[in-house]
Amino acid sequence: MNKLKLLLIILSFSLFALAVLFITENISFKSKALETTGTITNVSRITGGKPSVGRAWLRTIDFETRSGSITIERTVNTGAEIFGSYKKGQTVQILYNPQDPQGAKIGDFLNLWFGVVFYLVSGLVILLLLTLRSIKENFQRKT
């Protein structure tokens, strides 16, 4: 086995490990979380920094907990706009841990599970490509 194949196998299993970590964190978070609604009160573009990093957006969300009103800010990079292009005044589902309301998350599927899906699919694609390449090499040796 050459070094590149070994490196790619290690990379794919590292991606799987990250997916398992995210799954564990999400399950733990959701088991403690309460659900409420929040309102996007501000969406602003963050400028500056390295041009290669791209744009980022700062979203400010107000929501009510059992113990009072909370405001959180979340930064989302341009590439993550698949999470939804939230607009000022929009109502969103919020999940929060009563012990740590500042760690609240927008409670839609993409915000909670995109990392898991990304790492799983990336790891699977790498393993699939390695498997197909090995099958092709074995077939070529036999013919």
Side-chain angles (χ1 to χ4, degrees), residues 36-38 62-70 96:
T36 189
T37 56
D62 289 340
F63 64 98
E64 292 288 326
T65 67
R66 289 183 176 168
S67 49
S69 183
I70 298 284
Y96 73 96

Side-chain angles (χ1 to χ4, degrees), residues 5 8-9 12 125-135:
K5 282 184 183 178
L8 290 172
I9 290 170
S12 65
V125 166
I126 292 169
L127 281 180
L128 178 64
L129 292 174
L130 285 171
T131 303
L132 291 174
R133 182 178 173 129
S134 292
I135 290 170

Side-chain angles (χ1 to χ4, degrees), residues 8-121:
L8 290 172
I9 290 170
I10 291 170
L11 175 63
S12 65
F13 282 103
S14 297
L15 292 169
F16 290 140
L18 282 171
V20 169
L21 177 68
F22 278 125
I23 290 168
T24 304
E25 286 178 359
N26 279 351
I27 290 171
S28 175
F29 174 76
K30 287 189 79 171
S31 71
K32 300 172 190 168
L34 298 177
E35 187 176 321
T36 189
T37 56
T39 303
I40 307 284
T41 57
N42 191 33
V43 178
S44 57
R45 182 174 171 200
I46 299 171
T47 57
K50 298 178 183 178
S52 62
V53 173
R55 295 178 291 179
W57 299 90
L58 180 67
R59 296 185 174 118
T60 306
I61 306 165
D62 289 340
F63 64 98
E64 292 288 326
T65 67
R66 289 183 176 168
S67 49
S69 183
I70 298 284
T71 298
I72 59 171
E73 293 183 333
R74 294 290 177 264
T75 302
V76 179
N77 291 327
T78 301
E81 286 183 0
I82 61 168
F83 294 129
S85 52
Y86 299 109
K87 309 270 187 271
K88 185 175 179 177
Q90 182 177 350
T91 301
V92 292
Q93 176 193 23
I94 298 290
L95 297 175
Y96 73 96
N97 181 341
Q99 303 300 317
D100 180 25
Q102 289 295 328
K105 299 178 181 183
I106 295 176
D108 62 12
F109 179 82
L110 285 175
N111 277 288
L112 293 173
W113 297 104
F114 177 76
V116 170
V117 172
F118 175 80
Y119 290 121
L120 280 175
V121 169

